[in-house]
Amino acid sequence: MTEIAPKPHEGSGLSPCQPWGFWATTAIGLAATAAWFAAQLMAAFVALAFLGVDRNASDFEVQTLTAHALTIAVVTILSMPAPIAVIAMAARYARCSAVDYLALYWPRRADLIVGIVIIAVLLPLGDLTSYLSGRDLVPPAVVDAYRSARSSGTLVLFAVALIVAAPLMEELLFRGFIFPGYARSRLGPWGAILLTSAGWAVMHVQYETFYIVQIFVLGCVLGWLRWSSGSTLLTVILHAIVNTVALVQVAFVVERAG
């Protein structure tokens, strides 16, 4: 079998995991995604109701835009427990600790440095392709969300959702849970990298195809780093760095425009 994660830290007393197979991983992954979307829908209704947004009001679109960032932040944060519970339960039924199954090991310093260097090269290249294609460096959806957060005074909460909650949840599901099951199937590590990256990219339906392709490329890089380092925490950290850079970029664009 292909080794896809390092042995647990010495003294932990834990054994290496045997992940679920391809179809079981797919089914559990879909169940976790369904739980995630259902929780997001419920959280969105609660958030909009709490904010007093009336769907029948003539200015519904204006109300929704004002509440946009806060709703995104609340939904992103509050929807996390449901899918995490699904994958944690799946790890338990595989007779494995969640730490081992999801490879929640602190990355080695060398792996962290390599990851940061790769991201430092990849992000400017992505910006260059956006510029050369005549597109904005930051997707319009992110710009709109930032403006909404600024106007509603919820920038801090929005930043927490973007930099902490979203990277943690997405990495736990795709690179943490789905990747090991696919990597030990006939797909192998490279097939697992491509398939999880495609699933992760397609999930970002709020962006146009050009940006989704960029996300796919980033997913392949994160997938390779997950495989080579054996640490999902590494990809969480790097994903958070990417989102932080995006937030700084959009802040610069919006604030400069006034």
mmCIF file of all heavy atoms in Angstrom, residues 41-75:
data_model
loop_
_atom_site.group_PDB
_atom_site.id
_atom_site.type_symbol
_atom_site.label_atom_id
_atom_site.label_comp_id
_atom_site.label_asym_id
_atom_site.label_seq_id
_atom_site.Cartn_x
_atom_site.Cartn_y
_atom_site.Cartn_z
ATOM 1 N N LEU A 41 -27.739 26.246 5.202
ATOM 2 C CA LEU A 41 -29.079 26.753 4.885
ATOM 3 C C LEU A 41 -29.814 27.168 6.148
ATOM 4 O O LEU A 41 -30.426 28.245 6.208
ATOM 5 C CB LEU A 41 -29.861 25.675 4.137
ATOM 6 C CG LEU A 41 -31.236 26.083 3.587
ATOM 7 C CD1 LEU A 41 -31.088 27.214 2.588
ATOM 8 C CD2 LEU A 41 -31.929 24.885 2.937
ATOM 9 N N MET A 42 -29.760 26.327 7.164
ATOM 10 C CA MET A 42 -30.415 26.646 8.428
ATOM 11 C C MET A 42 -29.800 27.885 9.070
ATOM 12 O O MET A 42 -30.514 28.771 9.558
ATOM 13 C CB MET A 42 -30.314 25.454 9.384
ATOM 14 C CG MET A 42 -31.106 24.238 8.944
ATOM 15 S SD MET A 42 -30.889 22.830 10.061
ATOM 16 C CE MET A 42 -31.533 23.513 11.579
ATOM 17 N N ALA A 43 -28.476 27.963 9.046
ATOM 18 C CA ALA A 43 -27.794 29.113 9.633
ATOM 19 C C ALA A 43 -28.133 30.399 8.881
ATOM 20 O O ALA A 43 -28.274 31.473 9.488
ATOM 21 C CB ALA A 43 -26.286 28.887 9.638
ATOM 22 N N ALA A 44 -28.283 30.300 7.561
ATOM 23 C CA ALA A 44 -28.621 31.475 6.755
ATOM 24 C C ALA A 44 -30.016 31.984 7.110
ATOM 25 O O ALA A 44 -30.229 33.203 7.265
ATOM 26 C CB ALA A 44 -28.557 31.125 5.274
ATOM 27 N N PHE A 45 -30.968 31.067 7.247
ATOM 28 C CA PHE A 45 -32.330 31.478 7.621
ATOM 29 C C PHE A 45 -32.333 32.141 8.998
ATOM 30 O O PHE A 45 -32.990 33.154 9.216
ATOM 31 C CB PHE A 45 -33.273 30.272 7.606
ATOM 32 C CG PHE A 45 -33.793 29.919 6.239
ATOM 33 C CD1 PHE A 45 -33.580 28.655 5.705
ATOM 34 C CD2 PHE A 45 -34.487 30.846 5.487
ATOM 35 C CE1 PHE A 45 -34.046 28.326 4.435
ATOM 36 C CE2 PHE A 45 -34.965 30.529 4.214
ATOM 37 C CZ PHE A 45 -34.743 29.262 3.689
ATOM 38 N N VAL A 46 -31.589 31.546 9.928
ATOM 39 C CA VAL A 46 -31.516 32.107 11.278
ATOM 40 C C VAL A 46 -30.878 33.489 11.250
ATOM 41 O O VAL A 46 -31.368 34.431 11.885
ATOM 42 C CB VAL A 46 -30.714 31.173 12.209
ATOM 43 C CG1 VAL A 46 -30.441 31.854 13.547
ATOM 44 C CG2 VAL A 46 -31.471 29.871 12.437
ATOM 45 N N ALA A 47 -29.787 33.624 10.485
ATOM 46 C CA ALA A 47 -29.077 34.904 10.415
ATOM 47 C C ALA A 47 -29.959 35.991 9.802
ATOM 48 O O ALA A 47 -30.042 37.115 10.325
ATOM 49 C CB ALA A 47 -27.792 34.749 9.612
ATOM 50 N N LEU A 48 -30.628 35.672 8.700
ATOM 51 C CA LEU A 48 -31.477 36.657 8.036
ATOM 52 C C LEU A 48 -32.677 37.032 8.900
ATOM 53 O O LEU A 48 -33.097 38.186 8.932
ATOM 54 C CB LEU A 48 -31.944 36.117 6.676
ATOM 55 C CG LEU A 48 -30.848 35.979 5.616
ATOM 56 C CD1 LEU A 48 -31.409 35.319 4.356
ATOM 57 C CD2 LEU A 48 -30.249 37.335 5.275
ATOM 58 N N ALA A 49 -33.221 36.032 9.616
ATOM 59 C CA ALA A 49 -34.346 36.318 10.519
ATOM 60 C C ALA A 49 -33.889 37.209 11.676
ATOM 61 O O ALA A 49 -34.589 38.153 12.072
ATOM 62 C CB ALA A 49 -34.927 35.016 11.050
ATOM 63 N N PHE A 50 -32.715 36.908 12.219
ATOM 64 C CA PHE A 50 -32.166 37.707 13.318
ATOM 65 C C PHE A 50 -31.905 39.149 12.884
ATOM 66 O O PHE A 50 -32.114 40.090 13.651
ATOM 67 C CB PHE A 50 -30.861 37.080 13.813
ATOM 68 C CG PHE A 50 -30.188 37.858 14.907
ATOM 69 C CD1 PHE A 50 -30.638 37.783 16.212
ATOM 70 C CD2 PHE A 50 -29.106 38.682 14.613
ATOM 71 C CE1 PHE A 50 -30.021 38.516 17.220
ATOM 72 C CE2 PHE A 50 -28.479 39.415 15.612
ATOM 73 C CZ PHE A 50 -28.940 39.322 16.921
ATOM 74 N N LEU A 51 -31.474 39.309 11.622
ATOM 75 C CA LEU A 51 -31.189 40.642 11.106
ATOM 76 C C LEU A 51 -32.455 41.369 10.652
ATOM 77 O O LEU A 51 -32.391 42.536 10.270
ATOM 78 C CB LEU A 51 -30.210 40.541 9.934
ATOM 79 C CG LEU A 51 -28.800 40.055 10.299
ATOM 80 C CD1 LEU A 51 -28.008 39.745 9.039
ATOM 81 C CD2 LEU A 51 -28.080 41.096 11.137
ATOM 82 N N GLY A 52 -33.570 40.667 10.681
ATOM 83 C CA GLY A 52 -34.832 41.300 10.320
ATOM 84 C C GLY A 52 -35.028 41.511 8.833
ATOM 85 O O GLY A 52 -35.742 42.430 8.416
ATOM 86 N N VAL A 53 -34.398 40.671 8.013
ATOM 87 C CA VAL A 53 -34.548 40.787 6.563
ATOM 88 C C VAL A 53 -35.878 40.164 6.150
ATOM 89 O O VAL A 53 -36.124 38.982 6.401
ATOM 90 C CB VAL A 53 -33.386 40.100 5.831
ATOM 91 C CG1 VAL A 53 -33.602 40.146 4.322
ATOM 92 C CG2 VAL A 53 -32.068 40.767 6.198
ATOM 93 N N ASP A 54 -36.729 40.955 5.508
ATOM 94 C CA ASP A 54 -38.059 40.509 5.091
ATOM 95 C C ASP A 54 -38.025 40.132 3.614
ATOM 96 O O ASP A 54 -37.785 40.974 2.744
ATOM 97 C CB ASP A 54 -39.075 41.632 5.318
ATOM 98 C CG ASP A 54 -40.504 41.204 5.005
ATOM 99 O OD1 ASP A 54 -40.697 40.021 4.634
ATOM 100 O OD2 ASP A 54 -41.406 42.052 5.123
ATOM 101 N N ARG A 55 -38.264 38.848 3.308
ATOM 102 C CA ARG A 55 -38.209 38.392 1.921
ATOM 103 C C ARG A 55 -39.288 39.033 1.062
ATOM 104 O O ARG A 55 -39.175 39.104 -0.160
ATOM 105 C CB ARG A 55 -38.352 36.871 1.855
ATOM 106 C CG ARG A 55 -37.166 36.122 2.409
ATOM 107 C CD ARG A 55 -37.236 34.654 2.029
ATOM 108 N NE ARG A 55 -38.467 34.024 2.476
ATOM 109 C CZ ARG A 55 -38.856 32.796 2.123
ATOM 110 N NH1 ARG A 55 -38.124 32.095 1.276
ATOM 111 N NH2 ARG A 55 -39.969 32.287 2.593
ATOM 112 N N ASN A 56 -40.377 39.511 1.694
ATOM 113 C CA ASN A 56 -41.480 40.108 0.940
ATOM 114 C C ASN A 56 -41.353 41.615 0.798
ATOM 115 O O ASN A 56 -42.183 42.250 0.143
ATOM 116 C CB ASN A 56 -42.818 39.774 1.624
ATOM 117 C CG ASN A 56 -43.083 38.276 1.654
ATOM 118 O OD1 ASN A 56 -42.842 37.584 0.668
ATOM 119 N ND2 ASN A 56 -43.568 37.781 2.789
ATOM 120 N N ALA A 57 -40.318 42.179 1.398
ATOM 121 C CA ALA A 57 -40.144 43.634 1.346
ATOM 122 C C ALA A 57 -39.686 44.070 -0.044
ATOM 123 O O ALA A 57 -39.008 43.331 -0.763
ATOM 124 C CB ALA A 57 -39.134 44.082 2.392
ATOM 125 N N SER A 58 -40.062 45.296 -0.429
ATOM 126 C CA SER A 58 -39.688 45.809 -1.749
ATOM 127 C C SER A 58 -38.188 46.027 -1.868
ATOM 128 O O SER A 58 -37.627 45.980 -2.970
ATOM 129 C CB SER A 58 -40.426 47.129 -2.019
ATOM 130 O OG SER A 58 -40.108 48.083 -1.011
ATOM 131 N N ASP A 59 -37.512 46.276 -0.724
ATOM 132 C CA ASP A 59 -36.068 46.508 -0.746
ATOM 133 C C ASP A 59 -35.308 45.272 -0.255
ATOM 134 O O ASP A 59 -34.243 45.387 0.347
ATOM 135 C CB ASP A 59 -35.695 47.724 0.113
ATOM 136 C CG ASP A 59 -36.070 47.528 1.581
ATOM 137 O OD1 ASP A 59 -36.901 46.634 1.878
ATOM 138 O OD2 ASP A 59 -35.529 48.259 2.422
ATOM 139 N N PHE A 60 -35.856 44.092 -0.549
ATOM 140 C CA PHE A 60 -35.242 42.847 -0.079
ATOM 141 C C PHE A 60 -33.788 42.732 -0.538
ATOM 142 O O PHE A 60 -32.914 42.336 0.228
ATOM 143 C CB PHE A 60 -36.050 41.648 -0.585
ATOM 144 C CG PHE A 60 -35.384 40.315 -0.354
ATOM 145 C CD1 PHE A 60 -35.252 39.813 0.938
ATOM 146 C CD2 PHE A 60 -34.871 39.579 -1.414
ATOM 147 C CE1 PHE A 60 -34.638 38.588 1.165
ATOM 148 C CE2 PHE A 60 -34.251 38.357 -1.198
ATOM 149 C CZ PHE A 60 -34.141 37.866 0.093
ATOM 150 N N GLU A 61 -33.535 43.069 -1.807
ATOM 151 C CA GLU A 61 -32.173 42.940 -2.321
ATOM 152 C C GLU A 61 -31.215 43.865 -1.588
ATOM 153 O O GLU A 61 -30.068 43.511 -1.329
ATOM 154 C CB GLU A 61 -32.148 43.232 -3.822
ATOM 155 C CG GLU A 61 -32.847 42.168 -4.653
ATOM 156 C CD GLU A 61 -32.686 42.405 -6.138
ATOM 157 O OE1 GLU A 61 -31.991 43.382 -6.496
ATOM 158 O OE2 GLU A 61 -33.223 41.627 -6.933
ATOM 159 N N VAL A 62 -31.668 45.066 -1.267
ATOM 160 C CA VAL A 62 -30.822 46.015 -0.532
ATOM 161 C C VAL A 62 -30.545 45.492 0.873
ATOM 162 O O VAL A 62 -29.411 45.538 1.366
ATOM 163 C CB VAL A 62 -31.490 47.406 -0.461
ATOM 164 C CG1 VAL A 62 -30.648 48.351 0.396
ATOM 165 C CG2 VAL A 62 -31.680 47.970 -1.851
ATOM 166 N N GLN A 63 -31.591 44.980 1.535
ATOM 167 C CA GLN A 63 -31.428 44.424 2.877
ATOM 168 C C GLN A 63 -30.445 43.240 2.854
ATOM 169 O O GLN A 63 -29.579 43.122 3.722
ATOM 170 C CB GLN A 63 -32.769 43.940 3.427
ATOM 171 C CG GLN A 63 -33.779 45.043 3.724
ATOM 172 C CD GLN A 63 -35.028 44.465 4.367
ATOM 173 O OE1 GLN A 63 -34.950 43.733 5.345
ATOM 174 N NE2 GLN A 63 -36.183 44.784 3.814
ATOM 175 N N THR A 64 -30.592 42.392 1.848
ATOM 176 C CA THR A 64 -29.736 41.222 1.748
ATOM 177 C C THR A 64 -28.283 41.616 1.524
ATOM 178 O O THR A 64 -27.366 41.028 2.108
ATOM 179 C CB THR A 64 -30.202 40.303 0.596
ATOM 180 O OG1 THR A 64 -31.572 39.947 0.824
ATOM 181 C CG2 THR A 64 -29.361 39.046 0.521
ATOM 182 N N LEU A 65 -28.058 42.630 0.684
ATOM 183 C CA LEU A 65 -26.700 43.086 0.417
ATOM 184 C C LEU A 65 -26.057 43.632 1.687
ATOM 185 O O LEU A 65 -24.896 43.364 1.976
ATOM 186 C CB LEU A 65 -26.706 44.165 -0.670
ATOM 187 C CG LEU A 65 -25.331 44.738 -1.045
ATOM 188 C CD1 LEU A 65 -24.444 43.616 -1.587
ATOM 189 C CD2 LEU A 65 -25.469 45.850 -2.076
ATOM 190 N N THR A 66 -26.829 44.380 2.468
ATOM 191 C CA THR A 66 -26.312 44.932 3.718
ATOM 192 C C THR A 66 -25.942 43.815 4.685
ATOM 193 O O THR A 66 -24.953 43.901 5.415
ATOM 194 C CB THR A 66 -27.369 45.856 4.370
ATOM 195 O OG1 THR A 66 -27.722 46.891 3.439
ATOM 196 C CG2 THR A 66 -26.815 46.487 5.641
ATOM 197 N N ALA A 67 -26.750 42.765 4.695
ATOM 198 C CA ALA A 67 -26.514 41.642 5.617
ATOM 199 C C ALA A 67 -25.593 40.587 5.030
ATOM 200 O O ALA A 67 -25.292 39.594 5.687
ATOM 201 C CB ALA A 67 -27.861 40.998 5.974
ATOM 202 N N HIS A 68 -25.116 40.819 3.807
ATOM 203 C CA HIS A 68 -24.369 39.811 3.058
ATOM 204 C C HIS A 68 -23.172 39.255 3.823
ATOM 205 O O HIS A 68 -23.062 38.048 4.039
ATOM 206 C CB HIS A 68 -23.916 40.421 1.735
ATOM 207 C CG HIS A 68 -23.151 39.494 0.847
ATOM 208 N ND1 HIS A 68 -23.603 38.237 0.518
ATOM 209 C CD2 HIS A 68 -21.950 39.635 0.225
ATOM 210 C CE1 HIS A 68 -22.733 37.651 -0.271
ATOM 211 N NE2 HIS A 68 -21.713 38.468 -0.462
ATOM 212 N N ALA A 69 -22.270 40.112 4.229
ATOM 213 C CA ALA A 69 -21.034 39.654 4.879
ATOM 214 C C ALA A 69 -21.304 38.976 6.211
ATOM 215 O O ALA A 69 -20.702 37.948 6.532
ATOM 216 C CB ALA A 69 -20.079 40.830 5.071
ATOM 217 N N LEU A 70 -22.205 39.563 7.001
ATOM 218 C CA LEU A 70 -22.520 38.980 8.299
ATOM 219 C C LEU A 70 -23.131 37.598 8.128
ATOM 220 O O LEU A 70 -22.801 36.668 8.865
ATOM 221 C CB LEU A 70 -23.468 39.892 9.081
ATOM 222 C CG LEU A 70 -23.861 39.403 10.482
ATOM 223 C CD1 LEU A 70 -22.630 39.177 11.343
ATOM 224 C CD2 LEU A 70 -24.809 40.392 11.145
ATOM 225 N N THR A 71 -23.996 37.460 7.139
ATOM 226 C CA THR A 71 -24.615 36.165 6.872
ATOM 227 C C THR A 71 -23.564 35.141 6.459
ATOM 228 O O THR A 71 -23.566 34.001 6.939
ATOM 229 C CB THR A 71 -25.675 36.289 5.768
ATOM 230 O OG1 THR A 71 -26.662 37.253 6.155
ATOM 231 C CG2 THR A 71 -26.350 34.945 5.520
ATOM 232 N N ILE A 72 -22.639 35.546 5.583
ATOM 233 C CA ILE A 72 -21.562 34.642 5.158
ATOM 234 C C ILE A 72 -20.746 34.187 6.359
ATOM 235 O O ILE A 72 -20.443 33.004 6.521
ATOM 236 C CB ILE A 72 -20.649 35.336 4.129
ATOM 237 C CG1 ILE A 72 -21.378 35.520 2.803
ATOM 238 C CG2 ILE A 72 -19.365 34.525 3.918
ATOM 239 C CD1 ILE A 72 -20.574 36.272 1.760
ATOM 240 N N ALA A 73 -20.389 35.144 7.217
ATOM 241 C CA ALA A 73 -19.561 34.823 8.378
ATOM 242 C C ALA A 73 -20.274 33.866 9.328
ATOM 243 O O ALA A 73 -19.711 32.864 9.773
ATOM 244 C CB ALA A 73 -19.173 36.106 9.108
ATOM 245 N N VAL A 74 -21.527 34.184 9.640
ATOM 246 C CA VAL A 74 -22.299 33.362 10.567
ATOM 247 C C VAL A 74 -22.513 31.958 9.999
ATOM 248 O O VAL A 74 -22.340 30.951 10.699
ATOM 249 C CB VAL A 74 -23.654 34.025 10.885
ATOM 250 C CG1 VAL A 74 -24.555 33.064 11.660
ATOM 251 C CG2 VAL A 74 -23.446 35.302 11.693
ATOM 252 N N VAL A 75 -22.868 31.900 8.724
ATOM 253 C CA VAL A 75 -23.113 30.608 8.079
ATOM 254 C C VAL A 75 -21.836 29.774 8.047
ATOM 255 O O VAL A 75 -21.849 28.568 8.349
ATOM 256 C CB VAL A 75 -23.656 30.817 6.649
ATOM 257 C CG1 VAL A 75 -23.601 29.514 5.852
ATOM 258 C CG2 VAL A 75 -25.081 31.345 6.698
#
